[in-house]
Amino acid sequence: MLEAPDTTVTSARPVVAAEHLTRLYGEGQAQVAALRDVEVAFQPGTFSAVMGPSGSGKSTLMHLLAGLDRPTSGTVTIDGVELNGLNDKKLTLLRRQKVGFVFQFFNLLPMLTAEENITLPLRIAGERVDEASLRQLLEAVGLADRKEHRPAELSGGQQQRVAIARALITRPAVIFADEPTGNLDSQSSREVLDMLRRAVDDLGQTIVMVTHDAQAAAVADRIVFLEDGRIVRDEGHLTADQILDVMKVLR
Amino acid sequence: MSGVTLRGLFSRKLRTILTMIAIVLGVSMISGTYMLTDTINTAFNQIFQTADRNIDAVVVPTSPIGGFSGGPTPPLPASVLALVRHTPGVAFAEGDVGAEASIYDLNGNAIGAVGGAPTLLFSVAAPRFRSTTLVSGHWPVGNQLVIDKTMFAKHHLHLGQVVKVIAAGPATRMTIVGTTRFGSTGNLGGAATIDLPLAVAQRVTAETGKFNQISVAAVSGVTPADIVQRIRAEIPHSLRGRVKVETGTQSAQDASSAISNGLQFLTIALLVFGGIAVFVGAFIIFNTFSITIAQRVREIGLLRTLGATRAQILRSVLLEAFLIGLVSSLLGLLAGIGLAQLIHAVFKAFGADLPSAGLVLEVRTVIVAILVGVLVTMAAGFVPALRATRVPPIAALREGAQLPRSRFARFTPWIAGIVGALGVLVLIAGVFASISSVGTRLSIIGAGAVLLFLGVAMVTPKLVRPLAAALGWPIERMTRITGMLARDNASRNPTRTAVTAAALMIGLALVSFVTIFAAELRASADAAVNREIAGIYSIYNDQGQPIPRAVAPAVARIPGVGAVSALDGDAARVNGSVSNIYGIQPSTILAIYRFQWKQGSDAAVTGMGPLDALVSDTFASGHKVGVGSSLRVTTATDRHLTVHVVGIYKSSQFLTDVTLRYDTVRSDWSQGQDEIVSANPRPGANQKAVQRRITALLKSEFPIAAVHSQQQIKQNAEKSVNQLLTLIYVLLAMSVLVSLFGIINTLVLSIYERTREIGMLRAIGTTRGQVRWIVRWESVITAVIGAILGLAVGILLAAVVTQGLSSQGIVFTLPIGSLLIWVVFAMLFGIVAAAWPARRAARLDILQAIAYE
Ligand SMILES: Nc1ncnc2c1ncn2[C@@H]1O[C@H](COP(=O)(O)OP(=O)(O)OP(=O)(O)O)[C@@H](O)[C@H]1O
Ligand SMILES: [Mg+2]
């Protein structure tokens, strides 16, 4: 397995933190508050799930935390760097170094092989690909025999595993996953969740996952519930049934 | 269904506009050409109508050898004027002189029309026939002249200024005493005009007692047609073949149609280039329709599930093509007005202000523009339309449904091969078959080239991946990820890239063809000078006008000048067809010119009798004559003589059809002047000093002539080749511009398709700059594929055409440097084409892009 990142020194500091985070859409009468004054922090080596009804602001929160969008007010800090002061270029480079993504629709490049898709972030950064750790990663996501395949030749679950490997390869401070199992059958979902779990346990990877799926959230160490742009519950590990009970209460 | 079509067009505004530009440009060139030439024709028509408005009949000389080929038509003798004056019904008749001339100031600087328009010398017409009006000063008497006000202003002349006027006769100093204007406003369509008293005009043109035209006014009650009949009846038999009598109106019409015949070449040439631009546009239409239909597979599938028939789908797509074609044609027509006006303005800037009431828009122009635009767009959209009908209803339900492969797809390489091979065969036939008409030959060559282009374009999809891999390799080494992704994007959809590249291929094939051909022409001109010209000094007029006979003896008198030989150029009817005739001086020609003998030798020249002739090999084979044959020669002055062939030389750019002795041609032929005078320094004389002395003599006595070293002859040849080359480049620029929009269009459409990918790349850390370079490199790869294919086709075309011209001393060459410049050009072209699409891609909002479905 890969070496665990050296988190001992910084363990006191959260990898990602948001303060007074507000995001408004539109103007005047039509104004919508997607997030209202959200305070949240994620510690290194933790696996957190973000849940909530549709429209509660989950994606908005994730986009702001990942530096893909800018808040109306409030701050986001990733690995000690405050995002507000950064221009597009600096923000891009920060995402490149410190953030990994797993999307619902996999978002692989169809012309590249699985291996090329995985190493894409390194190549974008102009970094050398370390063959040994690449091989380890391929083993870990179970794609060693599929590395020459193109996305069209892989199943949905395999494609999502490629996407996870792609997120892992740069050893980012945090990986954001937006409904990673939303497009998968239950078997593939389990494999994908298992892989994310192992990344946290074995590598000390920090993961923040937005999901609708109670089974998925049950894998996490912590579950943040959003309603109407606010954090309404912030729980530790819950079982799927407990999660469903919480969700029933929320609009 | 048509409602869906319309809404579709509006919702895809940007794509629709980009697509239309492809057709607009080509159509604008075609309609602009028509408008321009129609306008020029109308303008000259007006000029001639004005010139002849009070003239009932004209009597003009005609050449017994006919046509416009060869030297000037010999003037009418004074006896004809007497004859006309005595014709019953003639109220007034006067003889006029009209000829080309040159004017110089006393320092030997030319005062002339700019842009190649001639300077025309006229005798002052009687007041009743005058079409020019005095603007300032007075009409000339003695050695005085009046000049048109445009020239007067352009050269900052002043009344009382003395200038030198040179025509066929002796150079004469004359004083400017007035300025004129033609008709109500302008000048003679850009020509400079001077009017001289009749006797002076006759002396200056060496036509003492002779006329170039007799203008006639009839007594009242006699119609122009009547007076023409009466004058014709008076013309004696001996002169019938040399005199033409017609009404003033007819004469104006003749002159106009001579102009429009002259313009025909320009018209056809411009239309051909417009046609090429439209042909290139067709590729872009084809590509855009293919791409948009592929992107609308689900929508089309949906329409099918809702009960739309295949025929309805076909009609819907064709309607879209029709509308795009129609609107593009109309816009092209408008742009054509702009283009014609632009060229008109350029003419005006060069002093050719045509007295036009405005741009002439004929119905024919509108019809041709709309037909071309609509038909080409619909033809190019037809194959994609057919493919759209093959979308099954189920496509509506499938995520990422693909356009079904055409049933004929697997035959495409075969069809491409056949079309391409057919193209090469037609090309070879066009080049090598014995075809008398140049027009037919060029049409066949053109058809071959079109087939070749289509064949290559059809086979290109198979070449895109290997070419993109090869081109992408160095880029990838240099840039890593951006180059790699660009290469992958370029080869993701080979047909799309291929068609885009093929559009550029056409322009660059023609560009590299003319680049090669021009290099060959320059090389052959150089070789011909080295091979044939022995004279150190060649004296001639740079515009190809003849030079006075007095030049040769004057040069011979210069100290240090050795052998001097004059060469005369004329035309005559030889064994039935009009041929070029050269008059050489046998005693001196060998010192300045090296004949390339096929049969005979230099001895045939030295021993040449007055009725001996040398002919070129092409003339000999064309007329099936050899040494010992006799030739029947009819001169422009209606003299008949029989000459005998004593030698055959290889045809060259200096000597073509028939060469006779100088004094034979001199005796009573039409041309009173020399073509070239060539000279050598005396042994031991300072070559440079002698050249300076010749230059000084020419400048002061014969400013119309200039001395050229062999090096300068080569440079002049090079210069004229380069001018032509530049002109063709400019004309091909339109086609290249069309392919630029093709690349932009394809990039924009592809970026639109890859929105989500770009969003993902940006999210995981790709900078805007990197995104821009991904698009740029894709564009560069596409453009360079086009350039490579274009170069290959251009070289093939040049090789075939050169082979066909090998008898003219043209040898196939590959100007590698110049050709590589076009590859570099293609790279820059790709970067320019990508500028805007790359910006769009880099500006994509990440969140919208990844949320986008
Ligand atoms: N670009 C936008 N413009 C206007 N309103 C927006 C925009 N994006 C999100 N919203 C609004 O902000 C609120 C939160 O949206 P968000 O996408 O974060 O919800 P979500 O929790 O991710 O929902 P889902 O579970 O459906 O994905 C919603 O009311 C939504 O309509
Ligand atoms: Mg969401």
Side-chain angles (χ1 to χ4, degrees):
Chain A
M1 269 277 118
L2 298 174
E3 261 175 69
D6 180 12
T7 53
T8 46
V9 183
T10 54
S11 60
R13 197 181 68 184
V15 177
V16 184
E19 282 170 29
H20 304 297
L21 205 56
T22 299
R23 179 65 165 100
L24 306 176
Y25 285 113
E27 300 274 319
Q29 289 283 301
Q31 195 167 63
V32 182
L35 282 185
R36 308 163 197 253
D37 201 25
V38 168
E39 300 264 349
V40 70
F42 299 94
Q43 295 302 326
T46 60
F47 189 167
S48 312
V50 178
M51 293 203 75
S54 185
S56 58
K58 303 183 294 294
S59 296
T60 305
L61 176 63
M62 194 200 92
H63 292 154
L64 289 171
L65 294 177
L68 291 174
D69 192 12
R70 292 180 190 274
T72 309
S73 63
T75 59
V76 172
T77 310
I78 297 179
D79 207 17
V81 182
E82 218 219 80
L83 305 192
N84 274 356
L86 305 181
N87 61 17
D88 182 79
K89 170 104 184 194
K90 290 213 172 96
L91 206 53
T92 304
L93 296 181
L94 180 110
R95 282 200 306 272
R96 183 190 280 182
Q97 284 154 8
K98 300 197 187 288
V99 183
F101 288 96
V102 179
F103 302 97
Q104 181 179 355
F105 296 109
F106 325 136
N107 284 8
L108 302 178
L109 292 188
M111 288 298 292
L112 303 189
T113 62
E115 179 178 330
E116 286 168 334
N117 264 296
I118 292 171
T119 55
L120 187 62
L122 290 180
R123 300 211 199 197
I124 289 170
E127 281 167 24
R128 267 185 23 84
V129 177
D130 178 35
E131 291 300 331
S133 48
L134 173 63
R135 216 169 323 114
Q136 280 186 337
L137 192 54
L138 280 166
E139 293 288 346
V141 297
L143 286 167
D145 55 340
R146 294 286 157 86
K147 61 179 182 166
E148 296 301 333
H149 289 227
R150 291 181 204 281
E153 301 155 358
L154 298 173
S155 73
Q158 288 167 332
Q159 289 190 51
Q160 196 60 304
R161 280 186 272 152
V162 172
I164 292 169
R166 180 180 70 192
L168 284 169
I169 196 149
T170 58
R171 325 295 327 283
V174 55
I175 290 177
F176 291 102
D178 195 355
E179 308 209 18
T181 57
N183 239 15
L184 299 176
D185 59 43
S186 55
Q187 169 64 29
S188 302
S189 293
R190 264 196 303 283
E191 284 168 16
V192 162
L193 291 168
D194 182 47
M195 196 160 300
L196 291 173
R197 185 68 248 177
R198 275 194 288 133
V200 175
D201 296 342
D202 300 349
L203 306 176
Q205 182 64 55
T206 312
I207 296 181
V208 178
M209 171 177 73
V210 169
T211 184
H212 272 120
D213 179 0
Q215 301 288 346
V219 179
D221 308 320
R222 173 188 174 191
I223 307 173
V224 176
F225 290 92
L226 280 181
E227 185 186 33
D228 214 7
R230 275 188 242 272
I231 294 180
V232 288
R233 301 269 297 261
D234 194 343
E235 306 283 344
H237 172 78
L238 297 176
T239 64
D241 289 338
Q242 290 171 312
I243 295 168
L244 287 174
D245 288 340
V246 177
M247 287 298 286
K248 256 178 235 148
V249 187
L250 303 177
R251 274 195 291 116
Chain B
M1 284 303 286
S2 59
V4 176
T5 304
L6 272 179
R7 233 167 302 127
L9 280 180
F10 282 118
S11 69
R12 294 183 303 275
K13 237 182 304 175
L14 184 70
R15 282 180 259 175
T16 310
I17 290 172
L18 277 170
T19 312
M20 289 199 312
I21 291 176
I23 289 297
V24 169
L25 291 178
V27 169
S28 76
M29 204 157 160
I30 291 176
S31 58
T33 301
Y34 277 131
M35 285 184 246
L36 182 70
T37 51
D38 288 345
T39 303
I40 296 176
N41 274 332
T42 310
F44 275 101
N45 205 357
Q46 280 172 14
I47 287 175
F48 296 124
Q49 297 292 353
T50 311
D52 286 354
R53 74 190 148 183
N54 293 323
I55 299 176
D56 292 322
V58 296
V59 182
V60 289
T62 57
S63 167
I65 65 170
F68 289 85
S69 43
T73 309
L76 297 168
S79 60
V80 178
L81 176 60
L83 230 141
V84 170
R85 282 192 171 142
H86 287 115
T87 306
V90 169
F92 180 82
E94 76 166 352
D96 306 310
V97 168
E100 269 194 53
S102 306
I103 322 172
Y104 296 87
D105 68 16
L106 294 183
N107 299 321
N109 302 316
I111 299 170
V114 196
T119 299
L120 302 176
L121 174 157
F122 296 107
S123 54
V124 177
R128 66 193 303 164
F129 292 146
R130 254 175 224 161
S131 47
T132 48
T133 318
L134 205 58
V135 175
S136 67
H138 60 82
W139 292 104
V141 285
N143 277 353
Q144 296 179 339
L145 60 81
V146 291
I147 188 166
D148 74 86
K149 66 180 168 77
T150 314
M151 279 308 113
F152 187 80
K154 177 161 286 170
H155 292 282
H156 308 291
L157 305 174
H158 56 85
L159 296 184
Q161 184 171 347
V162 176
V163 293
K164 211 183 263 184
V165 178
I166 304 176
T172 310
R173 286 170 179 236
M174 314 195 95
T175 312
I176 302 174
V177 295
T179 62
T180 57
R181 72 175 143 75
F182 180 84
S184 50
T185 48
N187 56 23
L188 261 181
T193 53
I194 53 173
D195 295 73
L196 282 58
L198 177 64
V200 180
Q202 285 173 324
R203 178 156 43 78
V204 170
T205 55
E207 292 176 4
T208 304
K210 295 175 178 174
F211 309 108
N212 300 104
Q213 177 179 320
I214 294 169
S215 307
V216 180
V219 295
S220 58
V222 177
T223 66
D226 283 348
I227 200 70
V228 165
Q229 284 307 322
R230 291 188 197 184
I231 296 170
R232 274 189 193 147
E234 297 291 322
I235 304 290
H237 250 289
S238 60
L239 282 175
R240 288 263 159 97
R242 295 182 51 193
V243 174
K244 187 165 80 175
V245 188
E246 58 185 358
T247 64
T249 322
Q250 270 164 1
S251 150
Q253 274 162 6
D254 285 359
S256 314
S257 55
I259 292 278
S260 52
N261 284 339
L263 277 175
Q264 195 125 50
F265 176 75
L266 177 75
T267 312
I268 292 173
L270 288 176
L271 286 179
V272 165
F273 285 100
I276 295 169
V278 171
F279 182 54
V280 173
F283 280 74
I284 287 150
I285 297 289
F286 172 84
N287 223 16
T288 313
F289 272 83
S290 302
I291 298 172
T292 49
I293 283 168
Q295 288 173 354
R296 275 154 56 197
V297 163
R298 281 181 87 170
E299 178 191 321
I300 295 168
L302 184 68
L303 289 173
R304 294 278 280 128
T305 52
L306 297 180
T309 62
R310 290 195 165 174
Q312 278 176 311
I313 300 283
L314 183 72
R315 243 179 287 142
S316 155
V317 178
L318 286 181
L319 177 66
E320 183 174 337
F322 172 79
L323 289 174
I324 288 182
L326 186 67
V327 176
S328 311
S329 305
L330 293 174
L331 291 176
L333 213 47
L334 279 179
I337 293 177
L339 199 64
Q341 235 147 17
L342 183 79
I343 300 176
H344 205 244
V346 172
F347 278 7
K348 205 161 198 146
F350 280 110
D353 46 350
L354 306 169
S356 77
L359 221 51
V360 177
L361 180 59
E362 303 260 2
V363 179
R364 179 260 281 117
T365 311
V366 179
I367 293 175
V368 171
I370 291 179
L371 270 186
V372 166
V374 170
L375 289 183
V376 167
T377 311
M378 290 186 72
F382 189 69
V383 172
L386 272 188
R387 295 194 66 193
T389 65
R390 293 175 41 78
V391 173
I394 191 76
L397 309 174
R398 259 190 248 139
E399 158 88 10
Q402 297 264 316
L403 200 55
R405 259 167 75 88
S406 153
R407 261 170 299 180
F408 304 107
R410 63 207 165 92
F411 302 120
T412 310
W414 293 103
I415 299 172
I418 292 168
V419 171
L422 198 65
V424 174
L425 286 180
V426 172
L427 199 66
I428 289 173
V431 171
F432 294 100
S434 60
I435 306 161
S436 54
S437 147
V438 179
T440 315
R441 184 185 289 281
L442 289 177
S443 311
I444 294 175
I445 293 177
V450 167
L451 286 174
L452 181 58
F453 285 138
L454 287 175
V456 174
M458 283 162 82
V459 89
T460 307
K462 297 263 172 261
L463 304 176
V464 163
R465 287 220 166 104
L467 281 175
L471 294 171
W473 187 79
I475 300 175
E476 199 183 327
R477 293 314 302 267
M478 204 163 68
T479 67
R480 302 190 177 278
I481 188 67
T482 54
M484 175 182 126
L485 292 178
R487 185 245 290 141
D488 285 347
N489 285 342
S491 40
R492 186 184 301 200
N493 205 322
T495 309
R496 185 184 296 185
T497 307
V499 177
T500 312
L504 180 61
M505 163 191 80
I506 296 168
L508 283 187
L510 297 172
V511 161
S512 50
F513 168 73
V514 295
T515 305
I516 295 172
F517 199 60
E520 292 170 355
L521 284 180
R522 283 190 293 252
S524 90
D526 271 16
V529 170
N530 291 340
R531 195 171 51 231
E532 296 167 35
I533 302 293
I536 302 295
Y537 313 118
S538 298
I539 297 158
Y540 55 86
N541 173 276
D542 284 320
Q543 274 73 48
Q545 277 175 261
I547 60 175
R549 292 168 75 167
V551 171
V555 169
R557 280 194 296 274
I558 294 176
V561 170
V564 174
S565 198
L567 180 79
D568 192 4
D570 209 324
R573 189 174 284 279
V574 183
N575 280 7
S577 64
V578 178
S579 312
N580 291 325
I581 305 286
Y582 300 87
I584 57 163
Q585 299 179 320
S587 56
T588 48
I589 180 87
L590 294 174
I592 56 106
Y593 185 74
R594 288 187 282 266
F595 283 89
Q596 309 293 306
W597 293 109
K598 282 277 173 175
Q599 225 181 316
S601 67
D602 286 355
V605 175
T606 25
M608 212 172 163
L611 290 178
D612 285 345
L614 308 168
V615 296
S616 74
D617 50 352
T618 33
F619 180 90
S621 60
H623 286 78
K624 304 201 168 40
V625 295
V627 170
S629 309
S630 46
L631 308 175
R632 283 169 290 107
V633 179
T634 306
T635 72
T637 50
D638 214 11
R639 251 170 51 104
H640 299 267
L641 53 157
T642 302
V643 296
H644 305 281
V645 178
V646 296
I648 299 175
Y649 52 82
K650 211 167 144 28
S651 183
S652 91
Q653 56 198 87
F654 305 107
L655 281 189
T656 56
D657 309 343
V658 179
T659 302
L660 302 174
R661 250 168 64 162
Y662 184 82
D663 46 358
T664 305
V665 178
R666 223 4 19 123
S667 51
D668 185 27
W669 291 42
S670 63
Q671 183 59 270
Q673 305 188 74
D674 288 339
E675 198 85 349
I676 298 179
V677 171
S678 203
N680 274 331
R682 224 175 255 295
N686 179 332
Q687 201 169 309
K688 283 263 162 358
V690 173
Q691 173 152 2
R692 271 199 299 277
R693 265 173 258 153
I694 299 176
T695 307
L697 168 84
L698 296 177
K699 191 119 194 163
S700 69
E701 302 292 323
F702 309 102
I704 193 166
V707 59
H708 306 80
S709 66
Q710 292 183 9
Q711 192 55 35
Q712 284 165 325
I713 298 177
K714 291 181 197 168
Q715 283 166 358
N716 280 0
E718 201 150 297
K719 213 167 84 184
S720 46
V721 169
N722 288 348
Q723 273 169 358
L724 190 64
L725 190 64
T726 310
L727 182 69
I728 295 179
Y729 283 163
V730 169
L731 292 173
L732 282 175
M734 191 64 102
S735 310
V736 176
L737 192 64
V738 171
S739 56
L740 180 84
F741 282 101
I743 296 187
I744 295 177
N745 204 4
T746 305
L747 289 175
V748 168
L749 291 170
S750 302
I751 288 166
Y752 169 77
E753 273 178 15
R754 298 178 198 146
T755 304
R756 186 120 63 103
E757 283 173 25
I758 296 167
M760 179 277 289
L761 284 169
R762 291 279 289 124
I764 68 170
T766 309
T767 61
R768 288 200 167 127
Q770 283 177 316
V771 170
R772 276 196 288 270
W773 276 110
I774 293 171
V775 178
R776 283 189 200 126
W777 287 125
E778 177 180 356
S779 178
V780 168
I781 289 172
T782 308
V784 175
I785 289 177
I788 289 174
L789 294 173
L791 250 54
V793 175
I795 291 170
L796 179 68
L797 282 177
V800 172
V801 171
T802 307
Q803 205 52 46
L805 292 171
S806 55
S807 66
Q808 320 263 313
I810 294 193
V811 182
F812 183 66
T813 41
L814 264 188
I816 302 284
S818 319
L819 292 178
L820 281 182
I821 286 176
W822 289 114
V823 177
V824 175
F825 167 83
M827 294 171 77
L828 297 176
F829 183 83
I831 290 188
V832 170
W836 180 63
R839 251 171 71 105
R840 270 172 69 94
R843 290 273 170 96
L844 272 183
D845 183 273
I846 303 179
L847 290 181
Q848 277 176 18
I850 51 182
Y852 165 89
E853 273 185 62

